[in-house]
Amino acid sequence: NYKLGEPAGPSGVTVAVPTGRKVNSVEALSPDGKPAGALKFTMERERVRFTLPGLDVYSIAVVKLAR
């Protein structure tokens, strides 16, 4: 977020998944002091879609693939 002091709202995210792989979970990590947690997600073909909650500085999404 380039506007410090003004939290950014929720953001929809779409990430490509390698062919033939499935997603086990998606987790949000952030230094904003908010608890990290599992995110609800959907799979559409070779893409995973989820929403990152609002943020103050930045967030990282960890997409864990099935083996």
Side-chain angles (χ1 to χ4, degrees), residues 22-56:
K22 293 187 179 184
V23 174
N24 270 346
S25 65
V26 179
E27 182 180 6
L29 304 175
S30 176
D32 294 345
K34 298 173 186 170
L39 301 176
K40 293 181 182 178
F41 65 92
T42 59
M43 288 287 302
E44 292 182 24
R45 299 183 194 151
E46 294 172 351
R47 306 222 183 284
V48 61
R49 296 178 190 266
F50 55 91
T51 299
L52 280 173
L55 58 96
D56 293 322

Side-chain angles (χ1 to χ4, degrees), residues 5-25:
E6 293 183 34
S11 300
V13 180
T14 302
V15 177
V17 176
T19 302
R21 300 295 300 269
K22 293 187 179 184
V23 174
N24 270 346
S25 65

